[in-house]
């Protein structure tokens, strides 16, 4: 059994995508970041950077005591290695997947996150910041679009790289992006959003946090 410390953010969705795809048993432990629950001492013992997601694996492969992992990219790598799924075993395939996983962690996630902040949550509208992050998000979408021109998925076969990137593309409208401008990315997005495991993962999100924003995401995935 895996305990998933989770809230309904793109980084949280990455992990439910994997767990649903792999069919691993897990229990969601909600951490309401809007209420400051990420600063509780018991959570900081698992995630010292006070960020979701984090997991505790009660059945690690070495048969030892439960192991906790924080940082969504590290969690995805750990789960892929634990299960032998969604990451190629050969050197070149694994390297392809890991490059795009790290690209998301260092680029798409932080830049789209700043896009969300300045567009939706900043107490004042700073046009320079909004334009900077909308434009950078568009550039990163273009990088993905170019990558996907001659392949179905970012790392070859469907992998943790796609699971890492997809939740950050789901709110593309809020990021000021039109997927019609990125036809290869749009094809990739449409192929992933209809996967049964993806639908289940986002349905779980709605049960945890049935607010309008999550409801809007559900509608986008059904469209």
């Amino acid at each position: 059994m895996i305990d998933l410390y989770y809230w309904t953010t793109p980084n949280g969705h990455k992990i439910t995508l994997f767990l649903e795809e792999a069919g691993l048993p897990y229990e969601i432990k909600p951490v309401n970041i809007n209420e400051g629950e990420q600063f509780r001492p018991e959570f900081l013992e698992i995630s010292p950077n006070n960020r979701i997601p984090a997991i505790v694996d009660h059945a690690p492969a070495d048969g030892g005591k439960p192991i906790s992992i924080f940082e969504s990219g590290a969690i995805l790598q750990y789960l892929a290695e634990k299960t032998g799924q969604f990451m190629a075993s050969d050197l070149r395939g694994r390297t392809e997947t890991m490059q795009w996983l790290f690209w998301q962690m260092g680029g798409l996630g932080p830049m789209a996150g700043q896009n969300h902040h300045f567009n939706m949550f900043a107490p004042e509208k700073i046009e320079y910041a909004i334009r900077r992050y909308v434009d950078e998000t568009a550039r990163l979408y273009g990088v993905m679009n170019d990558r996907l021109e001659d392949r179905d998925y970012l790392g070859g076969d469907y992998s943790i790289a796609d699971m890492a990137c997809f939740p950050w593309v789901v709110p593309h409208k809020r990021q000021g992006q039109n997927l019609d401008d990125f036809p290869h990315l749009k094809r990739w997005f449409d192929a992933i959003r209809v996967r049964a495991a993806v639908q289940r993962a986002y349905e779980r999100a709605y049960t945890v946090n049935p607010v309008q924003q999550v409801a809007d995401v559900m509608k986008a995935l059904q469209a």
Side-chain angles (χ1 to χ4, degrees), residues 1-4 15 19 24-29 54-59 78-79 82:
M1 174 63 73
I2 290 174
D3 293 336
L4 170 60
I15 312 306
L19 293 169
L24 287 175
Y26 70 101
E27 181 178 355
I28 287 179
K29 307 283 189 180
I55 68 169
V56 175
D57 184 0
H58 292 276
Y78 173 85
L79 292 173
K82 173 185 174 71

Side-chain angles (χ1 to χ4, degrees), residues 158-177:
Y158 183 59
S159 73
I160 56 175
D162 304 291
M163 296 178 199
C165 292
F166 177 79
W168 284 103
V169 179
V170 169
H172 53 271
K173 292 181 180 178
R174 286 190 277 124
Q175 296 166 4
Q177 309 301 319

Side-chain angles (χ1 to χ4, degrees), residues 182-202:
F182 309 96
H184 309 302
L185 178 62
K186 183 178 181 181
R187 183 259 310 150
W188 169 89
F189 179 82
D190 287 341
I192 294 175
R193 71 178 175 85
V194 297
R195 293 176 70 94
V198 172
Q199 294 289 319
R200 291 195 302 270
Y202 280 90

Side-chain angles (χ1 to χ4, degrees), residues 2 4 7 19-20 27 29 35 53 58 62 79-80 87-88 92 110 112 116 121 141 144 166 176 193-194 211 214 222:
I2 290 174
L4 170 60
W7 197 241
L19 293 169
E20 290 292 340
E27 181 178 355
K29 307 283 189 180
E35 301 293 332
H58 292 276
D62 64 3
L79 292 173
M87 182 165 63
R92 295 178 188 276
H116 294 174
F121 303 115
Y141 275 34
M144 282 190 288
F166 177 79
R193 71 178 175 85
V194 297
V211 298
V214 179
Q222 297 293 337

Side-chain angles (χ1 to χ4, degrees), residues 4 30 32 45 62 90 126 136 142 145 168 172 174 185 195 203 219:
L4 170 60
N32 189 333
E45 290 182 6
D62 64 3
D90 66 287
I126 303 172
E136 180 61 7
N145 189 66
W168 284 103
H172 53 271
R174 286 190 277 124
L185 178 62
R195 293 176 70 94
E203 287 166 5
K219 289 179 183 177

Side-chain angles (χ1 to χ4, degrees), residues 128-179:
Y128 170 80
I130 292 171
R131 178 47 48 198
R132 169 180 169 79
Y133 290 110
V134 168
D135 287 351
E136 180 61 7
T137 302
R139 187 189 73 81
L140 293 166
Y141 275 34
V143 172
M144 282 190 288
N145 189 66
D146 290 346
R147 171 68 175 176
L148 292 163
E149 181 177 4
D150 61 353
R151 69 199 72 216
D152 291 335
Y153 299 107
L154 292 168
D157 293 332
Y158 183 59
S159 73
I160 56 175
D162 304 291
M163 296 178 199
C165 292
F166 177 79
W168 284 103
V169 179
V170 169
H172 53 271
K173 292 181 180 178
R174 286 190 277 124
Q175 296 166 4
Q177 309 301 319
N178 183 348
L179 290 189

